[in-house]
Amino acid sequence: MRTRLGVLLAVVSGLFSVLLAVAVNVATGGTLPAPLDEVSWLAWPAVGVLGVAGAALAFWQQSTPPALPPPPGPPPGQDPPAHPVPAELPAATPLFGRDAEVAEIVRVLSGGSPVVTLAAAPGTGKTSLALGAAHAVRARFPDGQLFATLRGASAEPVAPEAVLGRFLTALGVPEDERRGGTEELAARFRSAVADRAVLVLLDDARDAAHVAALLPGGSRCATIITSRRQLTGVANAHGVPLAALPEDAAIELLERVAGAEAVRRDPSGARALVAACAGLPLAVLIVAGRLRARPQWTPSALAERLAGEHRRLDELRQGDLAVRSTFQAAYAELSEVDRLVFRRAGSHPGQVFTLAAAAARAGVDAGLAEAAMDRLVDAFLIESPGPDRFHLHDLLRLFATETLTAQEHADASERLLTWLLSHRTEDVAGLPAVLAEGVSAGRHAAVLALVDVVHPDVTDPFDRVAIWSAAAEAAGDDRVARARALRSVSHALSIAGEVQRAMPPADEALALAEAAVDQWETAQALRRRGEVLRDLHRFAESEAALLRALDLLVELGRAEEEVAVRTALGTLYNNFRRHELSVPMMERARELLPAAATVQAGWVRLALGLAYRFAGRRPESDAVTAEIPAIAGRAGNDYLLAYYHQEVAWTAEADGRWDDAERNFTQMRILAERVGSGAGVGSALLGLGQIAERRGDLDAALTHYRDAATRYARLGDRIREAEARFRVAAVLNTQGRVDDAVTERAAADNLIGDTDFPWGESLLSRLPDPR
């Protein structure tokens, strides 16, 4: 419409100008063409009319809207901004399991600290956390938010002057003031924000020097910095630690990306999957993305692909995301010395290792290793959970291992095994993994030698299973060495209460010893097999194996080993209340003991004291049993001490001293848990249940018996589980809950099968009729 009015005004104005010029000309003496000369007298009236028309035209032009509106002004009552307000923060991504860290950043910045640093290992989600926290506090910085990616982990980090030039442009600083060196630009930047409330987020800084010129100096400004290295040189900085994602948060992230329904249908697979990711957000995002792209896959299927360590880093890749390349970028920044120490020490197979072990494995002196390890800790490639203790999460350990050549790996393993031979008290906790690596590297002789030296220092039964399994594998074709190792595997499983699993290695050990025609090893293998059969409550088979072992050892004249077999037989006879056989067997064992009060002497006294008690010889039982605590204390053997407390508890129960009995059963449970004896814990629970019954507290008794049944079921000890369920049935029957009692008895009967075990008339008489 404005265009049409403009054209009309141009035409009218042109015609008006021509007519007015003609009229004035005639009025002042000019002439018209002959045909028009007769109307020349109208010239002055025409001038008057055209003058009025000109005034009207001028008024019309003034009242017509302009072709383009003027730029809008500020809202009423508000002054226009004096400077541009940058808003450069990228969009924040959802955070999982980081509420505490975000709250800490908000608290620190709200309290006046001008700088927060987020330094952590590659792939831990530093940038996402920084953006989430920055968006949470952006309202406190109305004068703008600046963001820069510094690429500190790359080979070509962004220069500070380039960042400063862009910041000054965003803040409205004139072009002629955006030139100069770093110091000059930094001064202008600080001046530009001196009176403003501006938030600066600097992502992926190389080190403290990289960001020194980029920090605003104004009291109303704040900075968040992320880095893959410790930024200890940044003034007034508050570091917020960033740990691995907890399992719940990792699964929530998995659900968010892969789909909640697929994850919730397979909860165990989801847990296995995030465990393989070691709590690394980048790894969780990758596996979640792979599941989303492959809806026919389950978390369990992908977790199985990641189970093999040799291919896990290959699997943790999707598109441009790869865990390996993230680690590789951090590794490339290291000096040659630090790379050597990282790949050799970082490939240590144990969960935690010492500085001395790291130096031995790396093949460098302690001073050089210490300096390198400190730098690696600062680079978040190695963690230090305590003084002189180091650790890598699984994915970094796998990366360190794959950077080794095959020869370098074998040499590192050999150096560590050799060092451990002369430092037997060091790194025992990581020994099973070290030995397994030694077997893989083919260092069989070193593995066997090390197990022989350190096994007395290894008390955890499952660690003992692991080290003797490594020894069995390292023994190769040496039948006797393998038989010995398998006997030890079986013994460790028995201590742990895994009685079903203890049988196959015992059987194989006996077969190997007999094939080697080694009489002594055959006797030892027979003893082990007899002990397992005893734990399985197979009386006749156990007695036959132990008596055969006893005959061989008597023939060989091995008194110390004869004592051990007699103790095993005495325990068997005690279990089946055959005190007439147990007493003479254990009295002869005591006669054969050496003068020194060894741990074996403690077990002899325990079995003999129990035999005397069953035989009604109470004073002798008390006297023999009273010697055990001193023996166990000198040897530091909590396993023996646990069963001493069991014997004292049953004696107190027989006397009606419920408090003493309960106290000793409780102490047995504590000691059994300490040494990892599942069978010992189960026995203590059965005892506590019986004491609760004596007191009339049937609900407490049920709890103890059911806990014992659960414990024995986990161990695979069907007979002891059956005993616990018999006792549950007896209590339920006493409470009048007959149907429940019958169900429990039926379950116990199924567990027993045709096993012959002396349950005792007092228990059997309280059970419901199975019909």
Side-chain angles (χ1 to χ4, degrees), residues 92 106 138 143 258 321 428 463 519 577 604:
V106 172
R138 66 181 299 174
D143 294 323
L321 294 178
V428 170
D463 281 348
Q519 190 173 1
R577 304 300 191 267
V604 169

Side-chain angles (χ1 to χ4, degrees), residues 153-177:
S154 69
E156 297 181 358
V158 177
E161 55 268 25
V163 178
L164 288 167
R166 193 176 62 73
F167 281 0
L168 290 172
T169 300
L171 293 167
V173 174
E175 182 179 357
D176 59 350
E177 295 183 19

